[in-house]
Amino acid sequence: MIGNKNNNDTTKLLNEKLGSESFLIAVHRGSSMGNIIENTLSAFYAAIQSGADILEIDVVRSSDGEFYIFHDGNERRLLGQEKNIREMDSVFIESLNYRNNIGQVVNYKVEKLENVLTSLKGSGMLLNLDRSWEDWETLLPFLDQFDMADQIILKSPVNQSCLSILEQHPIKYPYMPIIKKLEEIDEVLSYQTINLTGMELIAKDTDSVFFQDSIIRGIKEKGLFIWLNAIVLNDKDVLYAKYDDDQSIIKGPDYGWGKLIEKGCDVIQTDWPSLLNQYRQEISKKMKRG
């Protein structure tokens, strides 16, 4: 059982999913190819059809307080704009059209968070809200009106501001910190009323403390899930010891995703959900055969 027993109502779906699969598949910004744009409902529907259990969604707040689904920093590539989307007002944002995967302007707008939540409510999908922590003071009350605490997983770096907001907020959304330093584990655990459900571990290489089995085992023994990243953002940033999507596709799944499974992870974040789901099914068949 994941999470504090006092928060069973918000962790029921998460526990059901963790109990039904050997590991869960989290899809980075949804599945985007061709004319399907990342961080849109179309991308989320594609991810669901590809075997996703969790949709990783980026949330930003406009200059006039509206919430949208977008990973800031990608304005030039996706919208043809130089200004950060957080500095744009809602009228301007909604006047923009996306560029697709070959750079062509298409008739698709930036999604409002409200539209995504209402469309996915009751779908059985878990939603990991990323990039949102700077706006939690206004975002959490906004989320409350949708009655989706059982579907939403919040995440953030470990800092006092974020943890204090979570501690004080009456609705206890499942929470997963991004852990980069060993002392951050104890810091998060010191907040007794946060609905801590898992930890996302970052490991530059196999010498990292978060690559060690004893550390992973200790976290899991506290009733927390382990989230590991197979996504590849660029050639510089390593999220988990280079056991990633690239290795899984070029050399074979045993060399990437298989290593993450061996480490005991409960969730793998990927950009290739259909291939990872195929691998999961193959593992399941082998286990049934004994």
Side-chain angles (χ1 to χ4, degrees), residues 123-142:
S123 65
M125 295 302 299
L126 292 166
L127 313 177
N128 173 223
L129 303 191
D130 197 4
R131 308 283 293 182
S132 68
W133 51 83
E134 293 181 9
D135 301 303
W136 277 0
E137 286 190 6
T138 53
L139 177 62
L140 299 193
F142 176 82

Side-chain angles (χ1 to χ4, degrees), residues 12 24 39 63 74 101 104 174 187 209 219 267 280:
K12 181 180 179 182
L24 302 185
N39 271 318
S63 63
N74 292 278
N101 283 335
Q104 299 296 306
E187 183 175 355
V209 65
I219 293 171
V267 183
R280 181 169 65 175

Side-chain angles (χ1 to χ4, degrees), residues 46-250:
I48 292 169
Q49 294 175 62
S50 298
D53 304 292
I54 304 172
L55 302 172
E56 188 263 0
I57 297 174
D58 297 302
V59 178
V60 295
R61 184 176 183 268
S62 68
S63 63
D64 56 341
E66 296 291 332
F67 291 104
Y68 292 90
I69 306 299
F70 193 88
H71 190 298
D72 64 322
N74 292 278
E75 292 81 3
R76 177 188 293 181
R77 176 173 63 90
L78 294 172
L79 300 171
Q81 299 293 313
E82 298 298 327
K83 183 186 291 187
N84 189 290
I85 193 170
R86 295 179 182 273
E87 300 172 2
M88 304 176 190
D89 64 27
S90 56
V91 173
F92 186 71
I93 291 171
E94 292 171 27
S95 74
L96 300 174
N97 283 52
Y98 267 120
R99 272 67 174 160
N100 67 12
N101 283 335
I102 59 171
Q104 299 296 306
V105 178
V106 294
N107 188 27
Y108 209 112
K109 306 288 188 179
V110 179
E111 297 273 10
K112 296 193 77 169
L113 175 58
E114 178 179 3
N115 185 40
V116 170
L117 293 178
T118 55
S119 297
L120 295 175
K121 182 174 181 176
S123 65
M125 295 302 299
L126 292 166
L127 313 177
N128 173 223
L129 303 191
D130 197 4
R131 308 283 293 182
S132 68
W133 51 83
E134 293 181 9
D135 301 303
W136 277 0
E137 286 190 6
T138 53
L139 177 62
L140 299 193
F142 176 82
L143 294 176
D144 294 347
Q145 66 184 304
F146 296 94
D147 191 26
M148 292 177 65
D150 61 327
Q151 285 184 254
I152 292 172
I153 302 172
L154 297 174
K155 71 183 289 187
S156 76
V158 177
N159 65 59
Q160 186 176 4
S161 175
C162 292
L163 297 174
S164 295
I165 291 171
L166 288 178
E167 185 177 50
Q168 295 167 20
H169 194 70
I171 295 180
K172 300 302 179 183
Y173 292 93
Y175 172 62
M176 174 186 70
I178 306 167
I179 302 294
K180 297 181 178 181
K181 300 177 181 178
L182 192 58
E183 57 266 27
E184 292 176 339
I185 294 177
D186 288 335
E187 183 175 355
V188 173
L189 290 171
S190 69
Y191 287 78
Q192 299 295 316
T193 61
I194 288 176
N195 188 10
L196 183 64
T197 53
M199 293 187 175
E200 176 180 328
L201 303 182
I202 306 298
K204 183 177 181 180
D205 51 41
T206 57
D207 291 329
S208 167
V209 65
F210 298 120
F211 196 82
Q212 310 313 310
D213 293 340
S214 59
I215 297 297
I216 293 173
R217 185 167 55 249
I219 293 171
K220 291 171 73 76
E221 286 173 352
K222 291 177 170 60
L224 304 173
F225 68 76
I226 298 292
W227 173 302
L228 300 181
N229 291 294
I231 61 174
V232 181
L233 298 173
N234 51 52
D235 290 335
K236 179 182 177 182
D237 297 314
V238 177
L239 297 180
Y240 204 79
K242 293 188 177 181
Y243 293 119
D244 54 36
D245 286 342
D246 286 6
Q247 294 296 317
S248 303
I249 292 168
I250 296 168

Side-chain angles (χ1 to χ4, degrees), residues 18-40:
L18 287 168
S20 65
E21 298 285 358
S22 54
F23 62 90
L24 302 185
I25 298 173
V27 185
H28 182 226
R29 307 183 194 180
S31 291
S32 59
M33 287 188 179
N35 222 40
I36 302 296
I37 314 297
E38 65 191 57
N39 271 318
T40 64

